[in-house]
Amino acid sequence: MYRKDNIDQLAKIVAVLGTNDLIPYCHKCNVQLTAEMESAITKYISRHNPSGHRRPWLTLLPASCPRPSQEAIDLLDRLLVYDHDVRLTAREAMTHPFFDEVREEVKMEVKRICNQQQQPKKWDQTWNQYNR
């Protein structure tokens, strides 16, 4: 989502994620929105998301776009949230079921490369720390 400045970028994000979670998050973090921010958010919300609710991901895709899996939608729901205490960390995201299939393929490929380089023990230690 490229926008012309940070305030415009924030307003565009709010048009998708809504205001219902933004306002409590701002209070939690003691963040005061400037009048310029509030104006930009109001403009985008009134035009693109008058309910203030988070928009369903599928409504953002054109009809010609392939539909993502339920795991993909769930991963987006858990990553694209305002509250950093609720949002998945990178490590948590890597263990999400969306990556199950590719994770096994990557594991096998990395093991193959490590075996060629005679460093399998180092790989097993690294893999185990991310595969908890």
Side-chain angles (χ1 to χ4, degrees), residues 1-3 7-19 39-57 59-60:
M1 283 189 241
Y2 176 76
R3 296 292 148 214
I7 292 174
D8 190 53
Q9 180 73 36
L10 173 63
K12 188 67 174 169
I13 291 168
V14 173
V16 174
L17 296 183
T19 55
S39 174
I41 289 169
T42 301
K43 179 180 87 173
Y44 272 103
I45 288 292
S46 64
R47 214 181 310 155
H48 301 287
N49 188 357
S51 73
H53 295 293
R54 182 185 191 108
R55 289 185 54 192
W57 299 119
T59 66
L60 301 172

Side-chain angles (χ1 to χ4, degrees), residues 56-68:
W57 299 119
L58 295 179
T59 66
L60 301 172
L61 299 175
S64 60
C65 185
R67 293 299 179 235

Side-chain angles (χ1 to χ4, degrees), residues 46-127:
S46 64
R47 214 181 310 155
H48 301 287
N49 188 357
S51 73
H53 295 293
R54 182 185 191 108
R55 289 185 54 192
W57 299 119
L58 295 179
T59 66
L60 301 172
L61 299 175
S64 60
C65 185
R67 293 299 179 235
S69 67
Q70 280 305 116
E71 288 88 3
I73 297 293
D74 183 65
L75 181 60
L76 283 175
D77 278 338
R78 294 168 183 257
L79 286 172
L80 300 178
V81 296
Y82 296 115
D83 193 332
H84 63 279
D85 290 329
V86 175
R87 186 182 317 125
L88 291 181
T89 65
R91 181 167 288 167
E92 291 167 336
M94 289 172 55
T95 65
H96 189 276
F98 177 76
F99 296 111
D100 285 353
E101 187 177 318
V102 70
R103 187 181 306 109
E104 193 56 36
E105 291 175 22
V106 169
K107 180 180 177 181
M108 290 170 51
E109 178 65 14
V110 171
K111 274 190 169 186
R112 184 186 66 75
I113 292 169
C114 286
N115 285 337
Q116 288 175 351
Q117 297 173 354
Q118 302 299 321
Q119 298 174 347
K121 288 184 180 181
K122 183 177 181 183
W123 157 250
D124 286 336
Q125 290 169 350
T126 304
W127 178 258

Side-chain angles (χ1 to χ4, degrees), residues 16-17 30 32 36 62:
V16 174
L17 296 183
N30 201 25
Q32 182 70 34
E36 186 181 13

